[in-house]
Amino acid sequence: MPSRQEESLSARTSAGVDRRTFMRYTSALGVATAITAGLSACGGPGSTGDDSGGSGGATDTIEAGLSYPLSTGFDPMITSGATPFAANMHIFEGLVDLDPATLVARPALATEMPQKINATTYRATLREGATFHDGSAVTADDVVFSFERVLDPKNASLMAQFVPFIDRVKAVDASTVEFKLKHPFALFPSRIAVVRIVPEKIAGADAKAFDAKPVGSGPYRFVSAVREDKIVMEAYDQYNGPHPAKAKKMVWHLMSDPSARVSALKSGRVQAIEDVPYIDVKGFTGKDKVESVQSFGLLFLMFNCKDERFADKRVRQALHYALDTEKIISTALLGNAEPATGYVPATHPDYHEAGTVYGHDPAKARKLLKEAGVEKLSFTLLLTDTGWVKDIAPLIKESWAAAGIEAKLDIAQSPAQYAKVDKGDFEALAAPGDPSVFGNDADLLLRWFYYGFWPEKRYGWTGSDAYKRTRSLLDKAASEADAEKRRQLWAQVTDLVADEAALYPVLHRKLPTAWRDGTLPGFKPLPTTGLSFIDVGRA
């Protein structure tokens, strides 16, 4: 199963960042991660490294099995690794955070959702008495610093692409921050959840050290991390926010071996695991509970539109119609997915059934290829080596072969495949993706694949009429104050990208999580990869 963001760092370059700058910055992550791997029991003032201490009412230790090693450091401005990203939900706060289970925005460091002053001005007030894990007060200057470092192109922040509408941020006083926007953006109050607030005096002094040893204001403080072993966090006893720690300590065991995770839960070593293998879902009985939650997480097909064959949308459409998606889901994923009938799954609040729905229709696929003047289609399909993607790969080949389409499969690690894509050295790609961890609104999800870096640098949409229309519709929706009119504009985008099929989902996965019933009061499985123990106790 893929990482939380479902892609490697090389697949995550933001649209506004120079690639050379990005690569220089991400190379530093290797150094930071190496530092992280050597840390031990260094959580700062108040750290115990054992089960003592903690915050009001917190008892005992939560132990969990995580699927991925530490692939990056923890700096929330740049981290893309599954495990550190999940840890950061507990270590850091934004002015606004997303509820981990519902993905609905809620105040965190801010006393309430940002208040609209006028169409391009918002203000937020900080929670009184909020402190970072070193004991220093969280100030408006820290908030300004946190946003400015994200917006600075030199920092190659992965979050910058989500807040391009921010013109400037200033401290009105010690606890009030004002945002000036370049243009109206109706989703501003919830969108700023992508920026976590960090202490300027620590993150500004040594970015690499901060990446290795994060300091936030969340309910849990970082204690230690070893790359392929575990992450340890403990309750922060000075936290005064709305979601205090309910356990004294957390130990996250990093278990990439699926059978090891399953065994750890069944033996009682851990109380919860993520990324349950589909084949094991029905094997949990008694006190071991398992639930598969529908996610945005998708498998998509992407075509090189600069290739004259795939420049014709009828060829792209034919390859979608030729897929027996129901068979793929039932055979490879054991039913743990839904065929894509729109860009977002049917459970999403902004769901719109696309004007083009790709049911299994080999005859239509052949007809479209004939109309496009393609008598025999033969090409290489790149796929990432994610476990469930590898399971799907032969079924894709089989579906296409039944429609007279010959595909050679090239399966390799995500960074290697995206290196080919970014050089333009590819014909088609099948890969996982899931930006919903950053936000669940349709604007963010649509912009991820259809605005900026992906269409311009990856699948060759620059200059096309379809891309111009997509950008125009998304920009119009972004400034539209009326929610229903926004949804109508997003629906038009969905119809357009489904018809074009330059990059379009095949299916949306369900994510199985397992836990020991009765041991974690308040625990809920997530619609994104990872685990959350916010508002979760230890019984």
Side-chain angles (χ1 to χ4, degrees):
M1 197 176 273
S3 70
R4 171 180 282 277
Q5 286 74 33
E6 304 261 13
E7 302 155 29
S8 68
L9 273 170
S10 65
R12 286 213 151 302
T13 312
S14 62
V17 175
D18 174 78
R19 186 164 185 82
R20 190 170 298 171
T21 302
F22 177 83
M23 295 310 294
R24 283 202 304 269
Y25 202 98
T26 53
S27 67
L29 287 177
V31 178
T33 305
I35 296 171
T36 305
L39 293 173
S40 62
C42 52
S47 290
T48 62
D50 56 27
D51 288 358
S52 62
S55 60
T59 59
D60 218 334
T61 300
I62 292 174
E63 299 200 53
L66 279 291
S67 182
Y68 311 105
L70 285 171
S71 58
T72 70
F74 293 87
D75 188 336
M77 177 180 72
I78 53 173
T79 190
S80 71
T83 296
F85 198 100
N88 283 351
M89 290 194 296
H90 305 77
I91 297 169
F92 293 97
E93 296 177 284
L95 291 174
V96 171
D97 283 344
L98 301 182
D99 181 287
T102 66
L103 300 180
V104 173
R106 61 191 185 185
L109 269 173
T111 56
E112 58 184 342
M113 296 297 286
Q115 297 300 296
K116 184 177 181 180
I117 307 303
N118 57 49
T120 56
T121 307
Y122 287 82
R123 283 190 177 184
T125 301
L126 290 173
R127 184 175 74 233
E128 185 177 355
T131 58
F132 291 112
H133 298 156
D134 68 337
S136 64
V138 180
T139 69
D141 287 336
D142 292 308
V143 176
V144 172
F145 170 77
S146 299
F147 276 88
E148 287 184 342
R149 72 196 290 260
V150 165
L151 294 169
D152 186 347
K154 293 179 182 178
N155 290 332
S157 172
L158 297 176
M159 305 303 124
Q161 62 188 312
F162 300 128
V163 288
F165 47 81
I166 295 179
D167 184 24
R168 62 185 184 275
V169 187
K170 72 173 184 178
V172 176
D173 54 43
S175 61
T176 308
V177 181
E178 183 174 275
F179 296 86
K180 288 288 188 180
L181 310 188
K182 297 174 183 176
H183 54 78
F185 184 70
L187 300 173
F188 172 86
S190 60
R191 179 61 59 80
I192 58 171
V194 301
V195 178
R196 303 285 175 141
I197 306 307
V198 304
E200 179 177 8
K201 71 175 185 179
I202 297 175
D206 190 336
K208 291 182 181 178
F210 176 72
D211 189 42
K213 182 184 173 183
V215 177
S217 64
Y220 287 92
R221 69 192 312 159
F222 176 86
V223 175
S224 64
V226 179
R227 186 168 185 174
E228 295 186 3
D229 182 20
K230 63 186 176 183
I231 298 174
V232 180
M233 292 171 271
E234 67 178 10
Y236 177 47
D237 57 9
Q238 295 180 49
Y239 177 82
N240 70 344
H243 306 285
K246 293 188 176 182
K248 289 182 180 180
K249 181 179 174 181
M250 293 196 296
V251 179
W252 289 12
H253 301 278
L254 308 182
M255 301 175 165
S256 58
D257 183 349
S259 61
R261 290 195 304 279
V262 172
S263 296
L265 181 67
K266 290 188 174 182
S267 69
R269 180 187 175 196
V270 302
Q271 292 82 55
I273 62 172
E274 67 164 335
D275 194 5
V276 178
Y278 292 132
I279 197 169
D280 291 315
V281 168
K282 294 184 178 179
F284 288 96
T285 58
K287 292 184 178 180
D288 294 325
K289 304 295 182 183
V290 65
E291 183 177 339
S292 294
V293 178
Q294 181 63 57
S295 75
F296 173 79
L298 48 79
L299 176 78
F300 64 81
L301 284 179
M302 180 176 79
F303 302 100
N304 185 349
C305 296
K306 293 181 179 180
D307 183 310
E308 61 179 14
R309 296 167 300 171
F310 302 119
D312 191 321
K313 71 178 181 181
R314 292 172 295 187
V315 175
R316 306 192 297 258
Q317 291 173 341
L319 287 161
H320 275 278
Y321 279 118
L323 287 178
D324 190 345
T325 305
E326 294 284 0
K327 183 177 180 179
I328 288 171
I329 291 171
S330 63
T331 304
L333 304 182
L334 302 182
N336 285 274
E338 292 294 331
T341 56
Y343 178 63
V344 298
T347 53
H348 193 280
D350 297 318
Y351 171 75
H352 165 73
E353 181 176 310
T356 305
V357 176
Y358 294 102
H360 184 216
D361 194 339
K364 188 167 187 176
R366 292 190 187 92
K367 181 173 181 291
L368 285 166
L369 290 174
K370 185 177 181 181
E371 290 175 356
V374 178
E375 293 187 6
K376 184 172 180 60
L377 182 59
S378 177
F379 65 98
T380 297
L381 176 70
L382 304 185
L383 301 104
T384 61
D385 68 347
T386 306
W388 62 271
V389 177
K390 288 195 292 185
D391 292 341
I392 285 172
L395 295 169
I396 292 177
K397 182 180 177 71
E398 178 184 294
S399 288
W400 284 344
I405 300 164
E406 181 182 346
K408 177 183 176 183
L409 304 182
D410 177 348
I411 303 173
Q413 292 184 342
S414 180
Q417 301 298 52
Y418 279 102
K420 297 172 189 173
V421 168
D422 291 339
K423 291 177 183 176
D425 183 22
F426 84 107
E427 295 167 291
L429 169 76
D434 187 2
S436 67
V437 63
F438 301 116
N440 200 39
D441 63 83
D443 176 81
L444 184 151
L445 298 176
L446 286 163
R447 281 175 183 267
W448 180 253
F449 284 124
Y450 302 116
Y451 200 116
F453 182 76
W454 282 81
E456 294 173 15
K457 305 297 184 181
R458 292 210 155 136
Y459 54 91
W461 244 21
T462 303
S464 71
D465 289 340
Y467 183 43
K468 292 175 183 176
R469 293 200 306 275
T470 299
R471 287 177 63 105
S472 175
L473 288 167
L474 286 173
D475 286 342
K476 186 176 180 181
S479 59
E480 176 56 64
D482 183 86
E484 182 54 37
K485 290 181 179 178
R486 277 201 306 273
R487 281 193 287 270
Q488 291 173 6
L489 290 166
W490 291 334
Q492 290 181 51
V493 176
T494 296
D495 289 344
L496 193 160
V497 298
D499 178 64
E500 288 289 326
L503 182 155
Y504 196 67
V506 173
L507 55 84
H508 296 95
R509 289 196 308 133
K510 295 178 181 178
L511 304 179
T513 300
W515 67 100
R516 179 61 59 92
D517 193 33
T519 63
L520 299 171
F523 180 80
K524 296 177 182 178
L526 304 183
T528 56
T529 308
L531 296 172
S532 170
F533 300 100
I534 300 296
D535 296 329
V536 176
R538 175 72 172 93

